[in-house]
Amino acid sequence: MLRRATFRDYPAMLQIYAPYVEQTTVSAEYLTPSPATFAARMEALKNVFPVLVFEEEGEILGYAYLAPAFERRAFSWDCDLSVYVRRDARGVGIGTKLEGACARIAKELGYRRIYSLVTGENAASLAFHERAGYHIAARLPEALFKSGRWISLIWLEKEVNASECAQAFPRSLSALPASFWEEL
């Protein structure tokens, strides 16, 4: 089941994220954020952007969220996607459902593009994004240093609305009717 994340979900979400930080180059973070830091990040996002979890039989198996892609006002129509699936739950469509819901929300709110940054060593994520309709916008060689080596970064983009969406700024999450969330 796909639903909006709540404060009580953050510990399980952090447990999913921690191995990506500590054991891979998927995340650019060196250290897993503290529970308080992680919760503060999600709380800062959840009223403006979707923060979603995929839950099955009471267990959170994955999460995704959109965030601002850039800081300045002229970039208001751009957002950035992050998707993390528990390692033992990958390959069964959870990430696809999470990304699809985020894309649907972004479209409904009036965003033009969703961006996603993927490290060059993360072939599975690159393939996932391409299947979801993302295209490579840029390749940044040796953009980050982690695990004792320089790693490239691939910047992906997916258009969810045409350029005419700029006639109005994207709407807030509160503009979505309750029925929208029930249909996720």
Side-chain angles (χ1 to χ4, degrees):
M1 168 178 82
L2 211 56
R3 63 174 175 78
R4 291 176 83 175
T6 66
F7 190 82
R8 69 177 171 78
D9 298 322
Y10 299 157
M13 293 164 64
L14 182 57
Q15 281 186 324
I16 291 169
Y17 183 55
Y20 287 101
V21 173
E22 297 166 7
Q23 301 166 15
T24 75
T25 59
V26 167
S27 169
E29 294 198 72
Y30 276 27
L31 301 172
T32 300
S34 71
T37 298
F38 187 84
R41 287 179 188 175
M42 296 301 114
E43 286 293 302
L45 290 173
K46 77 175 193 175
N47 292 323
V48 180
F49 291 98
V51 179
L52 306 175
V53 294
F54 182 91
E55 182 180 47
E56 195 170 85
E57 297 180 13
E59 281 191 76
I60 294 175
L61 301 178
Y63 71 94
Y65 60 88
L66 294 176
F70 306 102
E71 187 177 312
R72 303 290 186 254
R73 184 79 166 148
F75 294 111
S76 292
W77 293 268
D78 303 319
C79 55
D80 182 66
L81 172 73
S82 292
V83 177
Y84 292 95
V85 176
R86 202 170 76 184
R87 289 175 136 186
D88 64 343
R90 292 187 299 193
V92 296
I94 294 169
T96 299
K97 289 176 184 168
L98 288 162
E99 186 284 330
C102 283
R104 185 171 167 225
I105 293 167
K107 179 179 179 58
E108 187 70 25
L109 294 177
Y111 288 91
R112 177 147 192 221
R113 286 197 177 93
I114 302 171
Y115 293 112
S116 190
L117 298 173
V118 175
T119 60
E121 297 181 353
N122 194 349
S125 183
L126 180 59
F128 163 79
H129 283 86
E130 288 178 337
R131 282 191 309 273
Y134 288 75
H135 303 281
I136 295 173
R139 291 181 189 269
L140 309 171
E142 297 184 348
L144 58 114
F145 187 84
K146 186 174 179 182
S147 299
R149 61 189 179 279
W150 286 102
I151 301 163
S152 65
L153 193 62
I154 301 168
W155 187 349
L156 299 148
E157 68 178 12
K158 178 179 184 175
E159 188 171 297
V160 292
N161 277 306
S163 62
E164 293 78 24
C165 69
Q167 294 173 10
F169 281 100
R171 301 179 303 147
S172 71
L173 279 178
S174 62
L176 296 177
S179 61
F180 181 89
W181 298 106
E182 294 166 8
E183 297 168 8
L184 279 181

